[in-house]
Amino acid sequence: MPTKTKTLLIPTADGQADAFAAFPDRDGRHPGVLLYPDAFGVRPVVEEMARELAGHGYYVLVPNIFYRHGPAPVIELPEHIGAETRPAVFAQVMPMVKAHTSERALLDADAYLRFLTAQPEVGAGPVAAVGYCMGGALAMRTAAAHPGQVAAVAGFHPSPLVTDAPDSPHRDFPEVTAQVHLGLAEGDMSPETLSELNQALDAAGVSHTCEIYPDTVHGFTMSDTAAFNPSALQRHWERLLPLLDRTLTNS
């Protein structure tokens, strides 16, 4: 269906986060989706994915998770992030990733959900949190902190969800009431870590699917990177859309 887009400013505990929103170009209210981008941030490929999702009937909010460092694009990105440009890009991105602590992530999640659900185009039911790369972990943290509000989580080529850190995302799985889908690249986790992840989800009683997408490397959904895999992106839609349909649209 046709869509509209707008840029917004989200009030947060630490200032204002700029954001991109896409939603159906029709009257009425629509289920809300909080979409966390990967570490390369809000950019045309992510905005296009938000528009695609909005075309299926959702209001999609994409915050600039690095707003404390400036508005998006926080750093200048090449049109295509390949092997030759990746090291320089990561050298700029990683300090911001490390500065985005779990404490900051939870503060921001509160602000993002408050803002999303207050939009006049968003319905009163539960919402979804969707994330890519580091956004996958942010989506899981958001669901754990807001179990009554987040009904679906999808993470694609997520950053580590099981670590030795005291604030590892997997330690909060018992708080998650959402249905979860995780789409992994072949090298995202060792077999041992994947087993530990599934055991933690099972022990927490989380309804989940965890799938390794074939012939993929980390970042496979992003068409502006060398990691892009068109068939894996299609598989991602085939998993994401039914998840949202059964958790949000019938609520």
Side-chain angles (χ1 to χ4, degrees):
M1 67 182 71
T3 60
K4 289 182 178 180
T5 64
K6 63 172 74 170
T7 54
L8 300 160
L9 290 175
I10 303 173
T12 75
D14 290 332
Q16 289 185 316
D18 51 304
F20 175 86
F23 50 96
D25 185 9
R26 67 181 186 191
D27 292 337
R29 292 172 173 257
H30 316 287
V33 176
L34 175 58
L35 192 157
Y36 287 109
D38 61 8
F40 299 140
V42 184
R43 59 198 193 282
V45 66
V46 176
E47 293 174 356
E48 180 55 39
M49 293 172 78
R51 279 192 290 267
E52 171 82 15
L53 190 51
H56 291 275
Y58 300 96
Y59 184 107
V60 186
L61 181 67
V62 188
N64 168 21
I65 56 180
F66 297 138
Y67 69 89
R68 293 174 180 85
H69 304 271
V74 181
I75 65 169
E76 187 175 344
L77 291 170
E79 285 189 16
H80 187 265
I81 304 168
E84 69 287 348
T85 56
R86 193 176 180 90
V89 171
F90 260 91
Q92 297 178 77
V93 166
M94 287 313 295
M96 295 189 293
V97 172
K98 291 178 180 177
H100 199 68
T101 61
S102 57
E103 290 80 11
R104 283 185 171 184
L106 292 175
L107 278 175
D108 289 347
D110 290 347
Y112 299 157
L113 289 178
R114 191 179 312 116
F115 185 87
L116 172 62
T117 55
Q119 297 312 295
E121 302 90 352
V122 175
V127 303
V130 178
Y132 302 84
C133 182
M134 70 176 291
L138 294 175
M140 289 296 291
R141 292 191 190 280
T142 300
H146 299 269
Q149 194 168 22
V150 180
V153 172
F156 300 96
H157 42 86
S159 58
L161 298 172
V162 179
T163 73
D164 293 331
D167 62 349
S168 172
H170 82 284
R171 303 189 195 284
D172 293 327
F173 286 173
E175 306 305 319
V176 174
T177 60
Q179 293 186 34
V180 174
H181 174 72
L182 299 173
L184 309 176
E186 289 185 339
D188 275 345
M189 296 182 190
S190 68
E192 295 77 17
T193 303
L194 179 56
S195 176
E196 190 174 350
L197 171 64
N198 278 309
Q199 288 175 16
L201 288 165
D202 287 337
V206 176
S207 173
H208 71 281
T209 56
C210 190
E211 183 179 2
I212 297 175
Y213 289 19
D215 303 316
T216 54
V217 295
H218 186 77
F220 57 77
T221 60
M222 298 297 164
S223 62
D224 61 350
T225 75
F228 180 55
N229 181 311
S231 62
L233 176 63
Q234 181 58 35
R235 181 185 291 250
H236 138 283
W237 290 119
E238 291 169 357
R239 301 299 186 266
L240 176 58
L241 292 172
L243 172 68
L244 300 184
D245 184 59
R246 66 177 177 265
T247 55
L248 301 188
T249 58
N250 295 323
S251 60

